[in-house]
Amino acid sequence: MTIKLSRRQMLAGAAAAAALPMPAIAQNAPIKIGLLTVKTGPLAAGGIHFEEGFVTFLKEKNYTLSGRKIDLIVADTGGNPAGAKTKAQEVVERDKVDVVLGPFAAFELLATLDYFAEAKMPTLAFAGAEDVTQRKRNAYVTRSSYTSAQCLYPLADYVLHEMKLKTAATIGDDFAFGYEQVGGFQRVLEEGGGRIVKKLWSPLNTADYAPYIAQLPQSDVVCEVLAGSNPLKFTKQARGLGVKQPLVGGSTVADDTIIAAHDESAEGLINTNPYSLDHDSEANKRFIAEMRKNYGDGVRIGHYAACFYANGQLIEATLAKTGGKADDREGFVKALRSVTLADTPRGPLSFDDYGNAVIDVYVRRAGKVNGKMANKTVKTYHKVSQFGGMDPKAFLKEPVFSRDYPPMKS
C-alpha cells in the first residue's frame, strides 16, 4: 500500500524531526592528548616525571578542561629516535590525538619534527634542541620548556657580575645538548669581557672523569653541563682530586630531582634552572601539595614535572580561547602562542614570535639543609628569551651552537 503525504504533513514531520535531540558531535567528544615520554631505559627517570606532572594537573581538574573531557594516551618512546618516530605515528594516525606533548630527548624531537609538521599536529615540545624554534621552526611545533642555552645565558651573567669571575673552563656531554649549553654560556661570558680557556667533551656513558679533570687548566670557574648521573660523578671526583675553583652548571646539573643525591662535594655549586622547588608562589605550593598527595611525600619534584604541569595550564588557557575546540589546528596553535600565564609553578610563562617559551630562570646555590643537599634561590632572571638578549634576526644569521661554534678565542 502506498501512503501519500500532503505538503503540510511533510513540513510538519520535518519540524518534529528537527526538534528531536541530535546525536553527540565532535565538540562533545573527549579531547585526546598524546604524551610521548620515556618510561624504560637510562632516560626513564625524567620521562616518568613528565607523566607525574601532567597527570597531577589533570587529576586536579578531574580530567576536564573548558567543559571537555581529556583522554590521555601515554606512549613510551624507549628514549631513541626510531621509537619516538614510531610512537608519534601511532598516536597521530591510530589514536587520532588532537595535541602531542613531548618527546623527551633532542634526538627524539629532531626525528619527529618534520612528521609533526606534515601531519599538522599541534605539539608542545620539551627537548632543548635550539633550531626547533629557530632556523627549523614550523607552524605546529611550540616549545613550552626552554632551549638548551636558555638557562646558560643567566648563568654566565651571574658568573661575571655577581661572582666577579672572568675565565672559565667547561666540560659537557659530547652531543648537541652539551654543545648548545656551552655555546650559550660562552657567548654571554665573552660579550661581558670574559673568556673560555678550555672546552672538554666527555661521552654520555663516562664512568671515570679523572682523565678529564687532569686536563682542566687554571681558570676562575669550571662550568659543567652534564646530564643524568654524570654531574654527580664529576662533581664528586673534581673535589676529590683537588679542584678548588667554584663549580657552576645548567638545568640538569643539580635539578631538585637529583640534588639530594649529591654529597658535600656539591656545597656551593651554583646552578640555573627554569623551576625551583623553593619558588614562593601559590601555584608552586599547590603543585607541590598535589604531587605529594598523588605520589607520596618522597616523590622527587623538579623541572620535568613542573614543565608538564604548566603544559596542562597552557592547554586549559588555550581551550578557553578557542571555546573548547581543538579541531581547528591552525587556530589552536595561534591561540596557544598568544597565551600569557601570570602564575605557574615555574613562574610567569609566555611565548616569543618564534614559538618558544619566555621564562624566569632561577640561580640557586647548593648547600646542606637538614643533613641533605638542597638548592636555595639566590637570584631570579625574569623574561629570559631563547636569544639571550640578542636581536633575533642577528642571532639567526649565525650558525647554531655546536662543538666548534662559537670558536675559541686565543
Side-chain angles (χ1 to χ4, degrees), residues 1-12:
M1 181 175 65
T2 301
I3 300 177
K4 294 184 178 181
L5 298 175
S6 68
R7 182 172 182 274
R8 181 176 294 177
Q9 288 172 317
M10 290 177 66
L11 290 174

Side-chain angles (χ1 to χ4, degrees), residues 171-222:
I171 180 165
D173 293 315
D174 197 2
F175 73 119
F177 185 55
Y179 309 153
E180 291 173 355
Q181 289 184 93
V182 169
F185 181 81
Q186 180 180 353
R187 204 201 80 199
V188 171
L189 192 76
E190 291 180 346
E191 285 176 352
R195 187 164 62 94
I196 301 292
V197 297
K198 184 83 170 180
K199 296 182 189 179
L200 296 170
W201 306 108
S202 53
L204 260 176
N205 60 353
T206 297
D208 182 10
Y209 282 94
Y212 299 94
I213 293 167
Q215 298 178 61
L216 288 172
Q218 286 296 319
S219 63
D220 295 333
V221 67
V222 175

Side-chain angles (χ1 to χ4, degrees), residues 286-325:
R286 184 173 65 251
F287 162 64
I288 292 169
E290 291 295 321
M291 283 285 290
R292 289 174 176 165
K293 182 175 77 174
N294 290 330
Y295 300 104
D297 290 340
V299 64
R300 294 180 178 181
I301 303 172
H303 81 276
Y304 300 112
C307 283
F308 275 74
Y309 183 95
N311 276 347
Q313 293 178 282
L314 287 169
I315 293 172
E316 180 180 45
T318 301
L319 290 172
K321 286 176 173 282
T322 65
K325 296 179 180 179

Side-chain angles (χ1 to χ4, degrees), residues 57-276:
F57 180 81
L58 291 180
K59 283 186 174 181
E60 191 178 329
K61 299 294 180 175
N62 195 28
Y63 281 81
T64 304
L65 303 178
S66 290
R68 301 287 299 277
K69 283 292 183 182
I70 302 299
D71 185 2
L72 178 62
I73 298 157
V74 180
D76 180 6
T77 62
N80 63 77
K85 181 70 176 293
T86 297
K87 293 302 179 182
Q89 292 171 322
E90 286 180 3
V91 298
V92 171
E93 297 172 24
R94 182 192 67 194
D95 300 317
K96 308 294 184 185
V97 299
D98 299 291
V99 184
V100 167
L101 307 183
F104 183 87
F107 45 77
E108 292 183 306
L109 180 55
L110 292 173
T112 56
L113 188 63
D114 290 342
Y115 174 74
F116 288 137
E118 291 165 4
K120 298 183 177 180
M121 176 53 54
T123 303
L124 276 74
F126 174 81
E130 297 271 310
D131 257 0
V132 167
T133 52
Q134 294 174 10
R135 299 158 194 84
K136 296 180 180 178
R137 63 190 181 276
N138 67 61
Y140 295 93
V141 176
T142 303
R143 183 172 13 230
S144 54
S145 54
Y146 58 103
T147 68
S148 304
Q150 205 162 350
C151 289
L152 276 296
Y153 300 135
L155 181 63
D157 184 87
Y158 189 85
V159 165
L160 283 167
H161 299 112
E162 302 292 338
M163 300 174 75
K164 308 296 183 183
L165 305 176
K166 291 286 187 180
T167 61
T170 66
I171 180 165
D173 293 315
D174 197 2
F175 73 119
F177 185 55
Y179 309 153
E180 291 173 355
Q181 289 184 93
V182 169
F185 181 81
Q186 180 180 353
R187 204 201 80 199
V188 171
L189 192 76
E190 291 180 346
E191 285 176 352
R195 187 164 62 94
I196 301 292
V197 297
K198 184 83 170 180
K199 296 182 189 179
L200 296 170
W201 306 108
S202 53
L204 260 176
N205 60 353
T206 297
D208 182 10
Y209 282 94
Y212 299 94
I213 293 167
Q215 298 178 61
L216 288 172
Q218 286 296 319
S219 63
D220 295 333
V221 67
V222 175
C223 178
E224 52 174 302
V225 290
L226 304 167
S229 62
N230 292 341
L232 305 176
K233 293 181 286 187
F234 174 81
T235 303
K236 185 179 180 69
Q237 286 188 275
R239 290 303 187 217
L241 292 171
V243 173
K244 302 297 184 185
Q245 299 104 308
L247 298 178
V248 301
S251 60
T252 56
V253 167
D255 182 63
D256 293 311
T257 57
I258 68 165
I259 185 61
H262 277 284
D263 62 15
E264 61 275 2
S265 62
E267 182 74 41
L269 172 62
I270 296 294
N271 63 97
T272 47
N273 201 287
Y275 167 78
S276 196

Side-chain angles (χ1 to χ4, degrees), residues 367-379:
K368 278 198 171 180
V369 177
N370 298 324
K372 290 186 177 182
M373 297 303 295
N375 288 306
K376 180 180 180 181
T377 298
V378 294
K379 184 171 182 175

